[in-house]
Amino acid sequence: MRGPDGGFMSAEVGSKAPDFTLMNQDREPVTLSAERGHPVVLAFFPAAFSGVCTKELCTFRDSLAKFNNAKAKVYGISVDTFFTLKAFQTDQKLTFPLLSDFNKEVIRAYGAFNEDMIGLKGIAKRSTFVIDKDGIVRHREVLDDARNEPDYQKVYDTLATLS
Protein backbone atom coordinates (compact mmCIF):
# COMPACT_ATOMS: atom_id res chain seq x y z
CA MET A 1 0.00 0.00 0.00
CA ARG A 2 1.85 3.07 -1.24
CA GLY A 3 1.05 6.69 -0.61
CA PRO A 4 1.16 9.53 -3.15
CA ASP A 5 4.89 10.01 -2.58
CA GLY A 6 5.60 6.35 -3.40
CA GLY A 7 6.36 5.52 0.25
CA PHE A 8 4.41 3.02 2.28
CA MET A 9 1.31 4.27 4.06
CA SER A 10 0.71 3.15 7.60
CA ALA A 11 -2.56 1.75 8.82
CA GLU A 12 -4.30 4.66 10.55
CA VAL A 13 -7.40 4.42 12.73
CA GLY A 14 -10.47 4.61 10.52
CA SER A 15 -8.65 3.37 7.41
CA LYS A 16 -8.88 -0.02 5.74
CA ALA A 17 -6.28 -2.39 7.14
CA PRO A 18 -3.64 -3.29 4.54
CA ASP A 19 -4.28 -6.84 3.40
CA PHE A 20 -1.53 -9.43 3.54
CA THR A 21 -0.76 -13.12 3.34
CA LEU A 22 1.96 -14.42 5.66
CA MET A 23 3.08 -17.90 6.65
CA ASN A 24 2.30 -19.01 10.17
CA GLN A 25 4.54 -21.06 12.43
CA ASP A 26 3.31 -24.24 10.69
CA ARG A 27 4.09 -22.90 7.19
CA GLU A 28 0.42 -22.36 6.40
CA PRO A 29 -0.64 -19.13 4.66
CA VAL A 30 -2.82 -16.71 6.62
CA THR A 31 -4.61 -13.93 4.70
CA LEU A 32 -6.00 -11.02 6.69
CA SER A 33 -8.98 -10.37 4.36
CA ALA A 34 -10.10 -14.00 4.88
CA GLU A 35 -10.67 -13.09 8.54
CA ARG A 36 -13.55 -10.70 7.81
CA GLY A 37 -16.63 -11.21 9.95
CA HIS A 38 -14.86 -10.94 13.31
CA PRO A 39 -12.30 -8.61 14.90
CA VAL A 40 -8.57 -9.28 14.54
CA VAL A 41 -5.76 -8.17 16.84
CA LEU A 42 -2.32 -7.88 15.26
CA ALA A 43 0.55 -7.81 17.76
CA PHE A 44 3.81 -6.90 16.02
CA PHE A 45 6.88 -7.70 18.10
CA PRO A 46 10.63 -7.21 17.52
CA ALA A 47 12.04 -10.68 18.17
CA ALA A 48 11.04 -14.10 19.45
CA PHE A 49 12.61 -15.17 22.75
CA SER A 50 13.52 -11.61 23.80
CA GLY A 51 12.40 -10.59 27.29
CA VAL A 52 9.69 -7.98 26.68
CA CYS A 53 8.35 -9.81 23.61
CA THR A 54 7.96 -12.99 25.63
CA LYS A 55 6.16 -11.09 28.41
CA GLU A 56 3.87 -9.34 25.88
CA LEU A 57 2.85 -12.48 24.00
CA CYS A 58 2.34 -14.40 27.23
CA THR A 59 0.06 -11.56 28.41
CA PHE A 60 -1.97 -11.97 25.23
CA ARG A 61 -1.98 -15.75 25.77
CA ASP A 62 -3.18 -15.36 29.36
CA SER A 63 -5.89 -12.88 28.26
CA LEU A 64 -7.27 -15.05 25.50
CA ALA A 65 -10.64 -15.35 27.25
CA LYS A 66 -11.14 -11.60 26.71
CA PHE A 67 -10.40 -12.03 23.00
CA ASN A 68 -12.65 -15.07 22.76
CA ASN A 69 -15.50 -13.12 24.39
CA ALA A 70 -15.14 -10.51 21.65
CA LYS A 71 -14.87 -13.28 19.03
CA ALA A 72 -11.49 -11.80 18.08
CA LYS A 73 -8.53 -13.64 16.61
CA VAL A 74 -5.03 -12.72 17.73
CA TYR A 75 -1.93 -12.95 15.56
CA GLY A 76 1.63 -12.26 16.65
CA ILE A 77 3.85 -10.96 13.82
CA SER A 78 7.62 -10.62 13.64
CA VAL A 79 10.35 -10.84 11.00
CA ASP A 80 11.57 -14.10 12.52
CA THR A 81 11.47 -17.23 10.34
CA PHE A 82 8.56 -19.61 10.80
CA PHE A 83 11.08 -22.11 12.23
CA THR A 84 11.92 -19.69 15.04
CA LEU A 85 8.27 -18.80 15.56
CA LYS A 86 7.32 -22.48 15.89
CA ALA A 87 10.00 -22.98 18.56
CA PHE A 88 8.87 -19.79 20.36
CA GLN A 89 5.20 -20.81 20.24
CA THR A 90 6.01 -24.28 21.58
CA ASP A 91 8.39 -22.99 24.26
CA GLN A 92 5.93 -20.38 25.57
CA LYS A 93 2.79 -22.50 25.02
CA LEU A 94 1.25 -19.72 22.93
CA THR A 95 -2.29 -20.56 21.90
CA PHE A 96 -2.58 -18.25 18.89
CA PRO A 97 -0.77 -18.18 15.54
CA LEU A 98 2.54 -16.42 14.96
CA LEU A 99 3.16 -15.02 11.48
CA SER A 100 6.50 -14.55 9.75
CA ASP A 101 6.99 -11.22 7.97
CA PHE A 102 10.50 -12.28 6.98
CA ASN A 103 10.43 -10.05 3.87
CA LYS A 104 9.43 -7.03 5.97
CA GLU A 105 6.52 -6.00 3.76
CA VAL A 106 3.74 -6.01 6.36
CA ILE A 107 5.69 -4.09 9.03
CA ARG A 108 6.24 -1.39 6.39
CA ALA A 109 2.57 -1.35 5.34
CA TYR A 110 1.51 -0.92 8.97
CA GLY A 111 4.07 1.77 9.82
CA ALA A 112 5.78 -0.60 12.26
CA PHE A 113 9.19 -0.80 10.54
CA ASN A 114 12.11 -0.13 12.88
CA GLU A 115 15.15 1.10 10.95
CA ASP A 116 17.60 0.25 13.71
CA MET A 117 17.11 -1.14 17.21
CA ILE A 118 20.40 -1.72 19.01
CA GLY A 119 22.01 -2.72 15.73
CA LEU A 120 19.13 -4.90 14.50
CA LYS A 121 18.01 -3.31 11.25
CA GLY A 122 14.53 -3.72 9.81
CA ILE A 123 12.66 -5.46 12.60
CA ALA A 124 9.15 -4.72 13.84
CA LYS A 125 8.38 -1.93 16.27
CA ARG A 126 6.25 -3.21 19.12
CA SER A 127 2.77 -2.37 17.84
CA THR A 128 -0.83 -3.42 18.27
CA PHE A 129 -3.73 -2.98 15.88
CA VAL A 130 -7.37 -3.87 16.39
CA ILE A 131 -9.22 -4.42 13.14
CA ASP A 132 -13.01 -4.68 13.09
CA LYS A 133 -15.10 -7.32 11.32
CA ASP A 134 -15.19 -5.16 8.17
CA GLY A 135 -11.40 -4.76 7.95
CA ILE A 136 -11.21 -1.20 9.38
CA VAL A 137 -8.46 -0.25 11.84
CA ARG A 138 -10.11 0.73 15.16
CA HIS A 139 -7.02 0.92 17.40
CA ARG A 140 -3.38 1.59 16.60
CA GLU A 141 -0.40 1.81 18.93
CA VAL A 142 3.15 1.89 17.58
CA LEU A 143 5.84 2.16 20.26
CA ASP A 144 9.22 3.72 19.54
CA ASP A 145 10.80 2.22 22.66
CA ALA A 146 10.72 -1.59 22.49
CA ARG A 147 11.25 -1.81 26.25
CA ASN A 148 7.65 -0.65 26.72
CA GLU A 149 4.65 -2.94 26.50
CA PRO A 150 1.46 -2.01 24.66
CA ASP A 151 -1.55 -0.61 26.48
CA TYR A 152 -3.44 -3.87 26.83
CA GLN A 153 -6.46 -2.16 28.37
CA LYS A 154 -6.97 -0.01 25.25
CA VAL A 155 -6.95 -3.19 23.15
CA TYR A 156 -9.57 -4.78 25.44
CA ASP A 157 -11.66 -1.58 25.54
CA THR A 158 -11.62 -1.28 21.73
CA LEU A 159 -12.71 -4.89 21.37
CA ALA A 160 -15.53 -4.30 23.88
CA THR A 161 -16.92 -1.54 21.63
CA LEU A 162 -16.94 -3.92 18.65
CA SER A 163 -18.93 -6.75 20.20
Side-chain angles (χ1 to χ4, degrees):
M1 191 166 163
R2 293 192 178 270
D5 62 354
F8 282 95
M9 295 171 56
S10 63
E12 299 296 331
V13 171
S15 71
K16 189 173 180 209
D19 198 18
F20 61 79
T21 299
L22 292 174
M23 291 293 174
N24 71 12
Q25 74 284 341
D26 296 320
R27 290 189 250 179
E28 300 162 338
V30 172
T31 301
L32 180 63
S33 58
E35 299 298 330
R36 295 274 162 76
H38 56 81
V40 172
V41 176
L42 302 179
F44 292 88
F45 61 98
F49 294 104
S50 62
V52 179
C53 295
T54 300
K55 187 174 178 193
E56 174 190 9
L57 294 181
C58 288
T59 299
F60 280 123
R61 176 199 65 204
D62 296 343
S63 304
L64 221 52
K66 291 179 184 181
F67 297 113
N68 291 339
N69 289 344
K71 297 182 176 39
K73 282 198 177 173
V74 178
Y75 293 98
I77 303 175
S78 77
V79 300
D80 293 299
T81 66
F82 42 76
F83 302 109
T84 302
L85 294 175
K86 179 67 174 178
F88 186 47
Q89 184 192 48
T90 301
D91 187 67
Q92 296 302 317
K93 299 176 178 56
L94 300 175
T95 51
F96 52 89
L98 302 179
L99 307 180
S100 173
D101 186 23
F102 188 78
N103 296 322
K104 306 173 185 186
E105 294 166 357
V106 178
I107 58 173
R108 284 186 172 99
Y110 278 78
F113 186 86
N114 195 337
E115 292 290 338
D116 187 348
M117 185 184 88
I118 56 172
L120 299 174
K121 299 188 186 319
I123 62 174
K125 287 184 178 182
R126 190 173 318 287
S127 313
T128 52
F129 293 83
V130 176
I131 300 163
D132 72 14
K133 65 182 180 58
D134 300 314
I136 305 300
V137 177
R138 296 300 175 193
H139 169 75
R140 173 185 191 272
E141 181 180 25
V142 179
L143 299 171
D144 287 320
D145 188 338
R147 294 171 294 190
N148 295 329
E149 291 182 69
D151 187 334
Y152 302 108
Q153 194 57 51
K154 284 189 178 164
V155 172
Y156 307 145
D157 291 349
T158 302
L159 285 172
T161 68
L162 300 178
S163 46

